[in-house]
Amino acid sequence: MKRYHQLDSLRGLAALSVVIHHFVFIFTGLLWLEALNYTPLRILKAGHEAVIFFFVLSGFVLSLPFYSDNKKVNIPHFLIKRLCRIYIPYIVAVGCSIAAYLAFYRPGVYAGFSSFFQDVWSEPLSFRLIMEHVILLGSFKDYALDPVLWSLSVEMRISLIFPFIMLFVKKFGWKPNIALALLLPCLSVLLNNLAHPANPSPISSNIYFTFHYLSFFILGALVAKYRVNLMSAALRLTVRQKYVLLLLGLTIYTYAGIGDAVLKRLFSASGVWVALAADWGIAAGVCILVTAALSSPKISNLLGQKPIQFLGNISYSLYLYHSVALFSCIYAFRNLLPMWATLFIAMCLSLLTACLSYYLIEKPSIQLGKKWTSSPVRKLKEAQEVV
């Protein structure tokens, strides 16, 4: 199965934007940061947009084996590999978050810091809280240890049902699949309103909004299904049209996320549906960018640069650990070092931790998944080759 290195690089750039987002989101009262939302530089701190990017990319990558004519996907093997790839590094990160919390957290009110900063690590550590992070069922206080963990609960839940979703995606064309994807957010809102969960926010481990995010996995799977057609259509465009397409994708991706705020201010719009619609705008931008990246040799060459590829390799670990590094440094150095120095140390620590996690946790976990799903025939061949 062909591996698209461009997608790894895009994932790395998206992870970096999440890092920048959290590094600035801990502050409040800075007008220039608010103004940044209405400039092209917003893409550098587009944190939630990056999460939607991850979901679309996951749908694309996970669906590829299901489109192969040479080999039927073994669903138990698929699930085992996915658990090893996502869950083992996740559990290690949860353990590191607990250790950092116990070592560095000091309760109190910190002037100049946002409610986001005040909320993370503010929940008293308990056995129930830890088990909720382990089991990933229901709506739990996912911000208590590491604010990015909510998206991992979504990723794991969808991974468990993804092979069955692919039965529908493969059987039907793009219109029924788009219709299904559009119905899922409606189902999320309906179930959320009926159940009245403790955490009704879409950006959380709320189990009902998992259906909403499932729609973006379906979109990613559709882009993979029709990738040849999409790439052929993009290649037929003139140079000017290609630049327009790329600019359109970047614009939609960058600004759709603030569409809900604009609608609320201009038209007094309200309700969670506004935020869900904004997510769909982001996903549309992602689909355009993925198509552009796969079909453009220039973009592919840019994304193929070694530093960007390496960033893609460590992207999952960087995503898992940057907040832990950031909060640890803030609490450890806030009275010892100027803030710029603290943030610099936190960034370096984030990258270092991500590298260590990639080589010591991620890669062995991936190899473990491959080992557990290797067929006896393959193992015999490998043994014969060694002999």
Side-chain angles (χ1 to χ4, degrees), residues 4-43:
Y4 295 94
H5 70 82
Q6 304 98 317
L7 303 186
D8 294 328
S9 297
L10 287 174
R11 185 181 287 109
L13 294 174
L16 184 60
S17 70
V18 176
V19 175
I20 296 173
H21 170 74
H22 285 143
F23 270 57
V24 299
F25 198 47
I26 62 173
F27 301 108
T28 188
L30 300 178
L31 294 179
W32 67 270
L33 277 179
E34 178 65 23
L36 205 65
N37 283 328
Y38 303 95
T39 72
L41 294 177
R42 186 180 190 278
I43 195 171

Side-chain angles (χ1 to χ4, degrees), residues 147-319:
V148 306
L149 297 185
W150 73 270
S151 66
L152 275 304
S153 66
V154 172
E155 186 90 27
M156 284 304 309
R157 292 166 185 166
I158 294 177
S159 292
L160 294 177
I161 63 172
F162 190 77
F164 308 101
I165 295 298
M166 283 304 301
L167 295 175
F168 185 92
V169 175
K170 284 187 66 178
K171 184 175 182 179
F172 297 99
W174 67 270
K175 291 181 181 179
N177 277 287
I178 292 294
L180 173 63
L182 287 171
L183 285 173
L184 289 172
C186 302
L187 179 62
S188 292
V189 174
L190 176 63
L191 293 175
N192 191 62
N193 290 339
L194 291 174
H196 299 290
N199 190 353
S201 170
I203 307 179
S204 70
S205 58
N206 183 316
I207 193 168
Y208 306 111
F209 283 108
T210 301
F211 292 106
H212 166 61
Y213 294 115
L214 173 59
S215 62
F216 306 129
F217 280 72
I218 294 175
L219 286 183
L222 285 177
V223 174
K225 183 177 182 179
Y226 297 104
R227 63 190 182 279
V228 175
N229 307 71
L230 292 171
M231 291 166 63
S232 298
L235 289 171
R236 289 195 298 268
L237 298 176
T238 65
V239 174
R240 179 176 295 181
Q241 289 172 332
K242 290 177 181 178
Y243 279 116
V244 171
L245 178 66
L246 179 61
L247 181 61
L248 177 65
L250 288 171
T251 302
I252 296 174
Y253 173 75
T254 303
Y255 294 110
I258 59 173
D260 57 339
V262 173
L263 288 173
K264 289 175 182 177
R265 290 181 182 179
L266 294 181
F267 305 105
S268 299
S270 61
V272 71
W273 68 267
V274 183
L276 302 191
D279 285 351
W280 265 83
I282 296 168
V286 173
C287 292
I288 295 174
L289 292 176
V290 169
T291 302
L294 294 179
S295 58
S296 170
K298 290 184 178 180
I299 298 177
S300 295
N301 290 336
L302 177 63
L303 294 175
Q305 298 298 311
K306 289 186 177 181
I308 301 179
Q309 280 194 308
F310 182 73
L311 185 63
N313 291 339
I314 66 170
S315 59
Y316 182 39
S317 289
L318 182 62
Y319 184 72

Side-chain angles (χ1 to χ4, degrees), residues 317-360:
S317 289
L318 182 62
Y319 184 72
L320 283 174
Y321 287 100
H322 73 273
S323 292
V324 179
L326 173 62
F327 281 80
S328 297
C329 289
I330 294 292
Y331 285 114
F333 301 126
R334 66 184 183 88
N335 292 325
L336 301 175
L337 297 173
M339 186 52 63
W340 67 265
T342 300
L343 294 178
F344 177 76
I345 294 173
M347 181 63 76
C348 294
L349 182 60
S350 298
L351 293 170
L352 175 62
T353 308
C355 292
L356 292 174
S357 172
Y358 173 67
Y359 287 110
L360 300 179

